Amino acid sequence: MKPAAFSYVKPATLGEALGLLSKHSGDAQILAGGQSLVPTLNMRLSAPDLLVDINGLDELSGVKLEGNHIRIGALTRHVDIENSSVIAEHCPLIALAMPHIAHPAIRNRGTFGGSIALADPAAELPACICALEAKIEVVGKGGERKIAAKDFFKNLFDTDLKDGEIVTAVEVPVVTPKTKLAFDELSRRHGDYAMAGLAVTAKMDDKKIENINICFFAISATPVLAEGAAKILNNGIMNDGSLKKAIEQLESDLDPLPDLYASSALKMHYAKELLKRNLGNWIS
Amino acid sequence: MSKLVQVTTSVNGENVSRGVEPRTNLVDFVRYDLELTGSHVGCEHGVCGACTIRLNGNIVRGCLVLAVQADGGTVETIEGLSESGKISDLQDSFLSRNAGQCGSCTPGMLLTADALLEENKKPTRTEIREYISGNYCRCTGYEAIVDAIETTSKKRQGEG
Amino acid sequence: MAGSNGLSIHDRPNSYIGRSVPRPNLSRLLKGRGSYADDVKLPRMLHVAFLRSSLAHAEIIKIETDKASAASGVVAVFTGKELAEVCSPWVGVVTHLEGMRSPPQDVLAVDRVRWQGEPVVAVVAQARALAEDAIELIEVKYKELPLAVNMKTALDADAEVIHKDYENNLCWERNVNVGDVKSAFAEADVVIEEEFQFGRHTGVTLESRSIVADYDPGEEMLTLYQSTQAPHMMQALFAKHLQLEEHKIRIICRDVGGAFGLKAHAYGDEFATVAISKILGRPVKFVADRMESFLADIHARDHVVKGKIGVSKAGKILAIEIDDLTGIGPYSVYPRSSGMEVNQICNLTGGPYKFENYKARGRVVFLNKPPMCQYRAVGHPIAITVTEGLVEMAASAIDMESMEMRKLNMVADDDYPNKTVSGIPVENLSHQASTDKLMEMVNYDEIRDEQKKLRQEGIFRGVGFAALIEVTNPGPAFYGVGGAPISAQDGCSVKLDAKGNLIVGTSITEQGQGAESVISQVVATAVGITPDKIKVISGDTENTPYGGGTWASRGTGIGGEAAAKAGKVIRDSILDVAGILLQNEPSTLDIQNNQVVNKSDGAERMSVAEIGRVVYYRGDTLPKDFQAEMMAVQHYFPKSYPFAFTNSVHCSHLEVDVNTGFIKLLKHWAVEDCGTVINPQNVDDQVRGGVVQGIGGALYEECIYNDQGQLLNGNLADYLVPMSAELPDIVVGHVESKTFESDLGAKGAGEAGTAGAPGAIMNALNDALMPFDVRLTRQPFTPQKVLEAIGKI
């Protein structure tokens, strides 16, 4: 299908972009990578009057090490993150996730910020940044604010972004020598949206687990942190017993939503399986 | 019909300037406005890869990029890559291995294979299969295509 | 059937038969220089888009199109009523499927919509996007009606009957009763019963259906650029329903981006496009986009089959019984009918085996879902999965190797001619030789040993087989007898030009399988001209002989033989002239590599190019009583057997992850006997492509409906087609049992891969899960189904 007609503008500055979004509130949509927006336009699921193309806002692009965190510009393309040595060294969880995102032609255009702002329940990056305790930087007419990742994803395709706001960057803490991570997803075909996925970060100090974040994606409407399971594993040395308990705890932590190919029971089973497979080798 | 936007871009080395509707995607622009019909349309939702085209040096889905976004940039299609001879060894391998049947996926496959071999000079068969896993082929069952890409990479490495 | 001087094509020197020469047309496709229907741009061409029904069953109360007609760029808007005045309705029934019924179908819905996606209004505009904009301005008032969307209940007394003139939703029923199954089952040591289910799925050709209709009122000539497999059939149908003369219709199908049977049917949206061009006197283009393809292309394979097998404890098959139910759309598709799947299933179940007692019932019911019709391997995957599933279950029950049981029951290679248990004559097959060859290719003992070891580590691998017979090269008994204007014969014209090149016209068509390559290789061999000097023209009703096109794996066997015959005639004609010019008997001469040579020592005497020059420019140097004829046309169709059956045997080796339910295909083997192989590489790749489509049906593909008849996964993200990373390499081997109906001896090869793969995969899956004592029989085999079966969820 062809999209419904829309007007197009490519602002030269962030200020201009914000002004346009404010002026056309409700009728305008941001065009960044377009890899999720354009299909919805092509299917006429979405019909904005105006597209605001922010691809010219170079200041929103780039990966920078800033002390104990990395600042990932929202407009940074997936391919650039995939190839970034800074990410590989300081944020390996995201590096692990990147090859799972669709296919090369999509990654050449899709952006980090776009994935965060869209908040597809099956997307990898929202779950990664929740597990990483990242902060999302957002700019609007009212100024700039920072939102903790876990507070950003509210409901199905629904984030804390207010009308007229743009995600400008995500701040991700860097790894330390004590960081342990896991990333995994189950999908039927390479590059498909996941049927279930897992992103885990923790600090392991002399085998003792601290500050573990267990985040699932493609299970619910938003990425979901398994807080009960994390509590069981925190401040202890993982063994078969504690892992088993944590896996059982998922029955309370998670309330999976079924989709076309997976019942809630299957989703729950996959969540448990992912936790078992990926944390199983943390047991010494 | 909304106001036309002027797009000036280099397509296969030739400068073109056209007024397009913002909603026109890049592959439709190339096919209908420029009459370069070698790039194909298979789904219009970015999944099948038939519209794979190069924008500013990288492969993209032509159905997911607006023509206006090519303004000031460069576009390369199968026609351009053929005429320049850049992929002639890939095309030769595809021809001798029968790696194309109906030809619908073929331009997209060649663009993707070309990008793969730029990134990875000696891909394993598994790596080849993963890289082209975003290009749908209904005819070949993919094996001939994997064979042809593997043969090309080996020849480029001087492995006969 | 040798040539006039007794030579068989198999005796030709420098033969191209059996050589993997590159396809002549592939070069241009590799350069992006294909010419598909959507590439065609004609002066003043318009675009049509369709408003389609969002409901599966409803009365159309009112259609308001005024706003659409006034929209920017819109030239015309047509409802079903308006187009019915220009295009007559059709009935998709073939008379030889006795008792089949289907009501008349209009190009666009007139009073009711009967499936989600049925076209209702046509909008014609200067661009597709503008037509779609206008569609949003159309208001259709519907009154929803109760639905019949479940085939299992569609014949119940309280089911909603879709067609008010019928007493129920039955379209057709076929019964076969051979021998006495009741007694045979009573006698049998073991009786196995099982129900098999197959997911409704669709072809998903990468090039969607496309047509450019150009009616020229000046010449009263209709030219169509259509992505079709059967241009002469379409010519006959357009003539009939649009009241045109056939010779005033020209159909061109230059490059077709995959068809697989999908593009051999009459579609309302395509006929509407042609009717509109006739009305407006301008070119009109219609390209189905991907979303509407899922709703508007024919679907296939929606079947539930109850199967029963009775065997002796020694492993002899005593009886097979099946009860097949299929839910098609609200109409049987025109002109081939939606009864062919059931017909084939009744014909082919039990195919490779010799047994006396067979009972089959097949019922076709109307549903409020998209119409169903022929798609690659038509009915075969179902017949073979059921048969081979029952065979492996029975073998397991009597503790016999399934291959041993097959060998015990297979029709022996020297037991021909024979008949299928359903009574169809079979010329010659090679089940035994093919099976032996397969078992040489498959490292079966290793696989079994490894399976045992890995089971102890909690890794579950399985191996499964499927043996089959396949219908190819059908004669007039397939469609013609039933009244369908589908030619069962094909022709080939060969013209020598003034430079020694051959211009060849064939009535078979090309959709990527290499039809033009086959014709080129056969003509090159028959005449003695090298392929670089041969140009093949296909897909043009004005420039090729009259014929059937390419479907049902008939192109090589039938079109190829016509080409062999025509080639021989031209060769004889060239040698007649050579004989005069060289003062030698033509029988002492031959043509090799573009040269007339001595048969005895191969010495070159003169070039064929020189013959061309003399014939065309210097006829004055030839005798007055001699007329050179450098253009030959020959036709062919098989006359002794209704089909050329082929046989195949497949093996699948896979691994099941019992924690995720994912199935990993490790390897697939297929031995194919399609008679003479013209181009081995092309044939092997046809088998591979076919296997992958079979894998699609077995593991991934299904049109998922809710109980309102709404398709839930009509896009390529949600409808899963096989992509490269999940597929194994596929090993193909051959045995060659030529058909003696033709000199070429070629049978068809296009569909057997699809026919055998699902059965082999199902058997391998159940073999892998043997320790769990479960059986999966409902395709596609998704992780959900696997885990539910083994009790993980």
Coordinates of all heavy atoms in Angstrom, one line a residue, chain A residues 1-5 42-45 47 103 185-193 195 260-267 269-270 273 276-277, chain C residues 128-129 132-133 136 289 291 657 659-660 662 699-700 702 704 712-713 715-721 723 725-726 781-784 787 792-793:
Chain A
M1 N 0.8 -1.2 0.0 CA 0.0 0.0 0.0 C 0.9 1.2 0.0 O 2.0 1.2 0.5 CB -0.8 0.0 1.3 CG -2.2 -0.2 1.2 SD -3.0 -0.1 2.7 CE -4.5 0.6 2.3
K2 N 0.3 2.3 -0.5 CA 1.1 3.6 -0.4 C 0.6 4.4 0.8 O -0.6 4.3 1.1 CB 0.9 4.4 -1.7 CG 1.1 3.6 -3.0 CD 2.5 3.1 -3.1 CE 2.7 2.1 -4.3 NZ 4.0 1.4 -4.3
P3 N 1.5 5.2 1.4 CA 1.0 6.0 2.5 C 0.0 7.0 2.1 O -0.1 7.4 0.9 CB 2.3 6.7 3.0 CG 3.4 6.0 2.3 CD 2.9 5.4 1.0
A4 N -0.8 7.5 3.1 CA -1.6 8.7 2.9 C -0.6 9.9 2.8 O 0.5 9.8 3.2 CB -2.5 8.9 4.1
A5 N -1.1 10.9 2.1 CA -0.2 12.0 1.8 C 0.2 12.7 3.1 O -0.6 12.8 4.1 CB -0.9 13.0 0.9
N42 N 3.2 2.9 5.3 CA 2.9 2.1 4.1 C 1.6 1.3 4.3 O 0.9 1.0 3.3 CB 4.1 1.2 3.7 CG 5.2 2.0 3.2 OD1 5.2 3.2 2.9 ND2 6.4 1.3 3.0
M43 N 1.3 0.9 5.5 CA 0.1 0.1 5.7 C -1.1 1.0 6.1 O -2.2 0.5 6.4 CB 0.3 -0.9 6.8 CG 1.3 -2.0 6.5 SD 1.4 -3.2 7.8 CE 2.9 -4.0 7.5
R44 N -0.8 2.3 6.1 CA -1.9 3.3 6.5 C -2.4 3.0 7.9 O -3.6 3.3 8.2 CB -3.0 3.3 5.5 CG -2.6 3.9 4.1 CD -3.7 4.4 3.3 NE -3.1 4.9 2.0 CZ -3.6 5.8 1.2 NH1 -4.7 6.5 1.6 NH2 -3.0 6.2 0.1
L45 N -1.6 2.4 8.7 CA -1.9 2.3 10.2 C -1.7 3.6 10.9 O -2.2 3.8 12.0 CB -1.0 1.2 10.8 CG -1.3 -0.2 10.3 CD1 -0.2 -1.2 10.9 CD2 -2.7 -0.7 10.6
A47 N -1.3 7.9 9.9 CA -1.4 8.9 8.8 C -1.2 10.3 9.3 O -2.1 11.1 9.4 CB -2.8 8.8 8.1
H103 N 18.0 -7.1 10.2 CA 19.0 -7.5 9.2 C 19.9 -6.3 8.8 O 19.5 -5.2 9.1 CB 18.3 -8.1 7.9 CG 17.5 -9.3 8.2 ND1 16.2 -9.2 8.4 CD2 17.9 -10.6 8.4 CE1 15.7 -10.5 8.7 NE2 16.8 -11.3 8.7
E185 N 18.0 -14.5 23.1 CA 16.6 -14.4 22.7 C 16.2 -15.7 21.9 O 17.1 -16.3 21.3 CB 16.3 -13.2 21.9 CG 16.9 -13.1 20.5 CD 16.4 -11.8 19.7 OE1 16.7 -10.7 20.2 OE2 15.8 -12.0 18.7
L186 N 15.0 -16.0 21.8 CA 14.5 -17.1 21.1 C 13.6 -16.6 19.9 O 12.6 -15.9 20.2 CB 13.6 -18.0 22.0 CG 14.4 -18.8 23.1 CD1 13.4 -19.4 24.1 CD2 15.3 -19.8 22.5
S187 N 14.0 -16.9 18.7 CA 13.2 -16.5 17.6 C 13.2 -17.6 16.6 O 14.2 -18.4 16.5 CB 13.7 -15.2 17.0 OG 15.0 -15.3 16.4
R188 N 12.2 -17.7 15.8 CA 12.0 -18.8 14.9 C 13.0 -18.7 13.7 O 13.4 -19.7 13.1 CB 10.6 -19.0 14.4 CG 9.7 -19.4 15.5 CD 8.6 -20.2 15.1 NE 9.0 -21.5 14.5 CZ 8.2 -22.2 13.6 NH1 7.0 -21.7 13.3 NH2 8.7 -23.3 13.1
R189 N 13.2 -17.5 13.2 CA 14.0 -17.2 12.1 C 15.0 -16.1 12.5 O 14.7 -15.2 13.2 CB 13.2 -16.8 10.9 CG 12.2 -17.8 10.5 CD 11.3 -17.3 9.3 NE 10.8 -16.0 9.6 CZ 10.1 -15.3 8.7 NH1 9.8 -15.7 7.5 NH2 9.6 -14.1 9.1
H190 N 16.2 -16.2 11.9 CA 17.3 -15.3 12.2 C 16.7 -13.9 11.9 O 16.2 -13.6 10.8 CB 18.5 -15.6 11.4 CG 19.7 -14.7 11.6 ND1 20.5 -15.0 12.7 CD2 20.1 -13.6 11.0 CE1 21.5 -14.1 12.7 NE2 21.3 -13.2 11.7
G191 N 16.8 -12.9 12.8 CA 16.4 -11.6 12.6 C 15.0 -11.3 12.9 O 14.6 -10.1 12.8
D192 N 14.2 -12.3 13.1 CA 12.8 -12.1 13.5 C 12.7 -11.4 14.8 O 13.6 -11.4 15.6 CB 12.0 -13.4 13.6 CG 11.5 -14.0 12.3 OD1 11.7 -13.3 11.3 OD2 11.0 -15.1 12.3
Y193 N 11.5 -10.8 15.1 CA 11.2 -10.3 16.4 C 11.3 -11.6 17.3 O 10.9 -12.7 17.0 CB 9.8 -9.8 16.5 CG 9.7 -8.4 15.9 CD1 9.0 -8.1 14.8 CD2 10.4 -7.3 16.6 CE1 9.0 -6.8 14.3 CE2 10.3 -6.0 16.0 CZ 9.6 -5.8 14.9 OH 9.6 -4.5 14.4
M195 N 10.5 -14.3 20.2 CA 9.4 -14.9 20.9 C 9.5 -14.7 22.4 O 8.5 -14.6 23.1 CB 9.3 -16.4 20.6 CG 8.9 -16.7 19.2 SD 8.8 -18.5 18.9 CE 7.2 -18.8 19.4
L260 N 0.5 -14.3 18.5 CA 0.0 -15.1 17.4 C 0.6 -16.6 17.4 O -0.1 -17.5 17.1 CB 0.4 -14.5 16.1 CG -0.5 -14.7 14.8 CD1 -1.9 -14.5 15.1 CD2 0.0 -13.7 13.7
Y261 N 1.8 -16.7 17.9 CA 2.5 -18.0 17.9 C 2.8 -18.6 19.2 O 3.4 -19.7 19.3 CB 3.8 -17.9 17.0 CG 3.5 -17.7 15.6 CD1 3.7 -16.4 14.9 CD2 3.0 -18.7 14.8 CE1 3.4 -16.3 13.6 CE2 2.7 -18.5 13.4 CZ 2.9 -17.3 12.9 OH 2.6 -17.1 11.5
A262 N 2.5 -17.8 20.3 CA 2.9 -18.3 21.6 C 1.8 -18.0 22.6 O 1.4 -16.9 22.8 CB 4.2 -17.7 22.0
S263 N 1.4 -19.1 23.3 CA 0.4 -18.9 24.4 C 1.2 -18.3 25.6 O 2.4 -18.2 25.6 CB -0.2 -20.2 24.8 OG 0.8 -21.0 25.3
S264 N 0.4 -17.8 26.6 CA 1.0 -17.3 27.8 C 1.9 -18.4 28.4 O 3.0 -18.1 28.9 CB 0.0 -16.8 28.8 OG -0.9 -16.0 28.2
A265 N 1.4 -19.6 28.4 CA 2.1 -20.7 29.0 C 3.5 -20.9 28.3 O 4.5 -21.2 28.9 CB 1.3 -22.0 29.0
L266 N 3.4 -20.8 27.0 CA 4.7 -20.9 26.2 C 5.7 -19.8 26.6 O 6.9 -20.0 26.8 CB 4.4 -21.0 24.7 CG 5.7 -21.1 23.9 CD1 6.4 -22.4 24.2 CD2 5.3 -21.1 22.4
K267 N 5.1 -18.6 26.7 CA 6.0 -17.4 27.0 C 6.6 -17.6 28.4 O 7.8 -17.4 28.6 CB 5.2 -16.1 27.0 CG 4.6 -15.7 25.7 CD 5.6 -14.8 24.9 CE 4.9 -14.3 23.6 NZ 5.8 -13.6 22.8
H269 N 7.2 -20.4 29.9 CA 8.1 -21.5 29.8 C 9.4 -21.0 29.2 O 10.5 -21.4 29.6 CB 7.5 -22.6 28.9 CG 8.5 -23.7 28.6 ND1 8.8 -24.8 29.5 CD2 9.3 -24.0 27.5 CE1 9.7 -25.6 28.9 NE2 10.0 -25.1 27.7
Y270 N 9.3 -20.2 28.1 CA 10.5 -19.6 27.5 C 11.3 -18.7 28.4 O 12.5 -18.7 28.4 CB 10.1 -18.8 26.2 CG 9.9 -19.7 25.0 CD1 9.4 -19.1 23.8 CD2 10.3 -21.0 24.9 CE1 9.2 -19.9 22.7 CE2 10.1 -21.8 23.8 CZ 9.6 -21.2 22.7 OH 9.4 -22.0 21.5
E273 N 13.1 -20.9 30.7 CA 14.2 -21.6 29.9 C 15.4 -20.7 29.7 O 16.5 -21.1 29.8 CB 13.6 -22.1 28.6 CG 14.6 -22.9 27.7 CD 15.1 -24.2 28.3 OE1 14.4 -24.8 29.2 OE2 16.2 -24.6 28.0
K276 N 17.3 -20.2 32.9 CA 18.1 -21.4 33.2 C 19.3 -21.5 32.3 O 20.4 -21.7 32.8 CB 17.1 -22.6 33.0 CG 17.8 -23.9 33.4 CD 16.7 -25.0 33.5 CE 16.9 -26.1 32.4 NZ 15.8 -27.0 32.3
R277 N 19.1 -21.3 31.0 CA 20.2 -21.5 30.1 C 21.3 -20.5 30.3 O 22.5 -20.8 30.2 CB 19.8 -21.3 28.6 CG 19.0 -22.3 28.1 CD 18.6 -22.1 26.6 NE 17.9 -23.3 26.1 CZ 17.7 -23.5 24.9 NH1 18.1 -22.7 23.9 NH2 17.1 -24.6 24.6
Chain C
R128 N -1.4 4.9 -8.2 CA -1.9 4.0 -7.2 C -2.2 4.7 -5.9 O -3.2 4.4 -5.3 CB -0.9 2.8 -7.0 CG -1.2 1.9 -5.9 CD -2.0 0.7 -6.2 NE -2.4 0.0 -5.0 CZ -2.7 -1.3 -5.0 NH1 -2.7 -2.0 -6.1 NH2 -3.1 -1.8 -3.9
A129 N -1.3 5.5 -5.5 CA -1.5 6.2 -4.2 C -2.8 7.0 -4.2 O -3.6 7.1 -3.3 CB -0.3 7.1 -3.9
E132 N -5.8 4.8 -3.9 CA -5.9 4.4 -2.5 C -6.5 5.5 -1.6 O -7.3 5.3 -0.7 CB -4.6 3.9 -1.9 CG -4.1 2.6 -2.5 CD -2.8 2.1 -2.0 OE1 -2.3 2.8 -1.1 OE2 -2.3 1.1 -2.4
D133 N -6.1 6.7 -1.9 CA -6.6 7.9 -1.2 C -8.2 7.9 -1.4 O -8.9 8.2 -0.5 CB -6.0 9.2 -1.7 CG -4.6 9.4 -1.4 OD1 -4.1 8.6 -0.5 OD2 -3.9 10.2 -2.0
E136 N -10.4 5.5 0.5 CA -10.8 5.9 1.9 C -12.0 6.7 1.9 O -12.6 6.9 3.0 CB -9.6 6.6 2.5 CG -8.4 5.6 2.8 CD -7.3 6.3 3.6 OE1 -7.2 7.5 3.7 OE2 -6.5 5.5 4.1
D289 N -0.7 -5.6 -4.1 CA 0.4 -5.4 -3.2 C 0.5 -6.6 -2.2 O -0.4 -7.5 -2.2 CB 0.4 -4.0 -2.5 CG -0.8 -3.9 -1.5 OD1 -1.3 -4.9 -1.0 OD2 -1.3 -2.7 -1.4
M291 N -0.1 -7.1 1.0 CA -1.2 -7.3 1.9 C -2.4 -7.8 1.2 O -3.1 -8.7 1.7 CB -1.5 -5.9 2.6 CG -0.3 -5.2 3.1 SD 0.1 -5.5 4.8 CE -1.2 -4.6 5.6
D657 N 14.8 -29.4 19.7 CA 15.2 -28.9 21.0 C 13.9 -29.1 21.9 O 12.9 -28.3 21.7 CB 15.6 -27.5 20.9 CG 16.1 -26.9 22.2 OD1 15.6 -27.3 23.3 OD2 16.9 -26.0 22.2
N659 N 13.4 -28.4 24.8 CA 13.1 -27.3 25.8 C 12.5 -26.1 25.1 O 11.8 -25.3 25.8 CB 14.4 -26.9 26.5 CG 15.0 -28.0 27.3 OD1 14.2 -28.6 28.2 ND2 16.2 -28.4 27.1
T660 N 12.7 -25.9 23.8 CA 12.1 -24.7 23.2 C 11.1 -25.2 22.1 O 10.4 -24.3 21.6 CB 13.2 -23.9 22.4 OG1 13.9 -24.7 21.5 CG2 14.2 -23.3 23.4
F662 N 11.9 -25.9 19.2 CA 12.4 -25.5 17.9 C 12.9 -26.8 17.1 O 13.6 -27.6 17.7 CB 13.6 -24.5 18.0 CG 13.2 -23.1 18.3 CD1 11.9 -22.8 18.9 CD2 14.0 -22.1 18.1 CE1 11.5 -21.5 19.2 CE2 13.7 -20.8 18.5 CZ 12.4 -20.5 19.0
L699 N 6.7 -26.6 8.6 CA 7.1 -25.9 9.8 C 6.6 -24.5 10.0 O 6.5 -24.1 11.2 CB 8.7 -25.9 9.8 CG 9.4 -27.3 9.8 CD1 10.9 -27.0 9.9 CD2 8.9 -28.2 10.9
Y700 N 6.4 -23.8 9.0 CA 6.2 -22.3 9.2 C 4.9 -21.7 8.7 O 4.4 -20.8 9.4 CB 7.3 -21.6 8.4 CG 8.7 -21.9 8.9 CD1 9.6 -22.7 8.2 CD2 9.2 -21.3 10.1 CE1 10.9 -22.9 8.7 CE2 10.5 -21.5 10.5 CZ 11.3 -22.3 9.8 OH 12.6 -22.5 10.3
E702 N 1.2 -20.7 7.7 CA -0.2 -21.0 7.9 C -0.9 -19.6 7.9 O -0.5 -18.6 8.5 CB -0.5 -21.6 9.2 CG -1.9 -22.0 9.4 CD -2.2 -22.8 10.7 OE1 -1.3 -22.8 11.6 OE2 -3.3 -23.4 10.8
I704 N -3.6 -17.7 9.4 CA -4.3 -17.9 10.7 C -5.5 -17.0 10.7 O -5.5 -15.8 10.5 CB -3.3 -17.5 11.9 CG1 -2.1 -18.4 11.9 CG2 -4.0 -17.6 13.2 CD1 -1.0 -18.0 12.9
L712 N -5.4 -13.0 10.4 CA -4.6 -12.3 11.5 C -3.2 -12.1 11.1 O -2.5 -11.3 11.8 CB -4.7 -13.2 12.8 CG -6.1 -13.4 13.3 CD1 -6.1 -14.3 14.5 CD2 -6.8 -12.1 13.6
N713 N -2.7 -12.8 10.1 CA -1.2 -12.6 9.8 C -0.9 -12.4 8.4 O -0.1 -13.0 7.8 CB -0.5 -13.9 10.3 CG -0.9 -15.2 9.6 OD1 -2.0 -15.3 9.1 ND2 0.0 -16.1 9.6
N715 N 0.8 -10.5 6.5 CA 2.0 -9.7 6.1 C 3.2 -10.6 6.3 O 3.1 -11.6 7.0 CB 2.1 -8.4 6.9 CG 2.3 -8.7 8.4 OD1 3.3 -9.1 8.8 ND2 1.2 -8.4 9.2
L716 N 4.3 -10.2 5.8 CA 5.5 -11.1 5.8 C 6.2 -11.1 7.1 O 7.1 -12.0 7.3 CB 6.5 -10.7 4.7 CG 6.1 -11.2 3.3 CD1 7.1 -10.7 2.3 CD2 5.9 -12.7 3.2
A717 N 5.8 -10.3 8.0 CA 6.5 -10.4 9.4 C 5.7 -11.5 10.2 O 6.4 -12.2 10.9 CB 6.4 -9.0 10.1
D718 N 4.4 -11.6 9.9 CA 3.6 -12.5 10.7 C 3.3 -13.8 10.0 O 3.0 -14.8 10.6 CB 2.3 -11.8 11.1 CG 2.5 -10.7 12.1 OD1 3.5 -10.7 12.8 OD2 1.8 -9.7 12.0
Y719 N 3.4 -13.8 8.7 CA 3.2 -15.1 7.9 C 4.7 -15.5 7.6 O 5.4 -14.8 7.0 CB 2.5 -14.9 6.6 CG 2.3 -16.1 5.8 CD1 1.1 -16.8 5.9 CD2 3.3 -16.5 4.9 CE1 0.9 -18.0 5.1 CE2 3.1 -17.6 4.1 CZ 1.9 -18.3 4.2 OH 1.8 -19.5 3.4
L720 N 5.0 -16.7 8.2 CA 6.5 -17.0 8.2 C 6.8 -17.9 6.9 O 6.4 -19.0 6.8 CB 6.8 -17.8 9.4 CG 6.4 -17.1 10.8 CD1 6.8 -18.1 11.9 CD2 7.1 -15.8 10.9
V721 N 7.6 -17.3 6.1 CA 8.2 -18.1 4.9 C 9.6 -18.5 5.2 O 10.3 -17.8 6.0 CB 8.1 -17.2 3.6 CG1 6.7 -17.1 3.1 CG2 8.8 -15.9 3.8
M723 N 13.4 -18.7 5.3 CA 14.5 -17.8 4.9 C 15.8 -18.6 5.1 O 15.8 -19.7 5.6 CB 14.5 -16.6 5.8 CG 13.2 -15.8 5.8 SD 12.7 -15.1 4.2 CE 13.7 -13.5 4.2
A725 N 18.6 -18.8 6.7 CA 19.4 -19.2 7.9 C 18.9 -20.5 8.5 O 19.7 -21.1 9.2 CB 19.5 -18.1 8.9
E726 N 17.7 -20.9 8.3 CA 17.1 -22.0 9.0 C 17.1 -23.3 8.1 O 16.6 -24.3 8.5 CB 15.7 -21.8 9.4 CG 15.6 -20.8 10.6 CD 15.9 -19.4 10.1 OE1 15.4 -18.9 9.1 OE2 16.6 -18.7 10.9
F781 N 4.3 -27.6 12.1 CA 4.8 -28.1 13.3 C 5.5 -27.0 14.0 O 6.7 -26.8 13.9 CB 5.7 -29.3 13.2 CG 5.0 -30.5 12.5 CD1 5.4 -30.9 11.2 CD2 3.9 -31.1 13.0 CE1 4.8 -32.0 10.6 CE2 3.2 -32.1 12.4 CZ 3.6 -32.5 11.1
T782 N 4.8 -26.2 14.8 CA 5.3 -25.1 15.5 C 5.9 -25.5 16.9 O 5.5 -26.5 17.4 CB 4.2 -24.0 15.7 OG1 3.2 -24.6 16.5 CG2 3.7 -23.5 14.4
P783 N 6.8 -24.6 17.5 CA 7.3 -24.9 18.8 C 6.1 -25.1 19.8 O 6.2 -26.0 20.7 CB 8.1 -23.7 19.1 CG 8.5 -23.1 17.8 CD 7.4 -23.4 16.9
Q784 N 5.1 -24.3 19.7 CA 3.9 -24.5 20.6 C 3.4 -25.9 20.5 O 3.2 -26.5 21.6 CB 2.8 -23.5 20.1 CG 1.5 -23.5 21.0 CD 1.6 -22.6 22.2 OE1 2.2 -21.6 22.2 NE2 0.9 -23.1 23.2
L787 N 5.9 -28.5 22.1 CA 6.0 -28.5 23.6 C 4.7 -29.0 24.2 O 4.8 -29.6 25.3 CB 6.4 -27.1 24.1 CG 7.8 -26.6 23.7 CD1 8.1 -25.3 24.3 CD2 8.9 -27.6 24.2
K792 N 5.6 -30.2 28.0 CA 6.4 -29.2 28.6 C 5.5 -28.0 29.0 O 5.9 -27.2 29.9 CB 7.5 -28.7 27.7 CG 8.6 -29.7 27.5 CD 9.7 -29.6 28.6 CE 10.7 -30.7 28.4 NZ 12.0 -30.5 29.0
I793 N 4.4 -27.8 28.3 CA 3.5 -26.7 28.7 C 2.1 -27.3 28.5 O 1.8 -28.3 27.9 CB 3.6 -25.5 27.7 CG1 3.5 -25.8 26.3 CG2 4.9 -24.7 28.0 CD1 3.4 -24.6 25.3

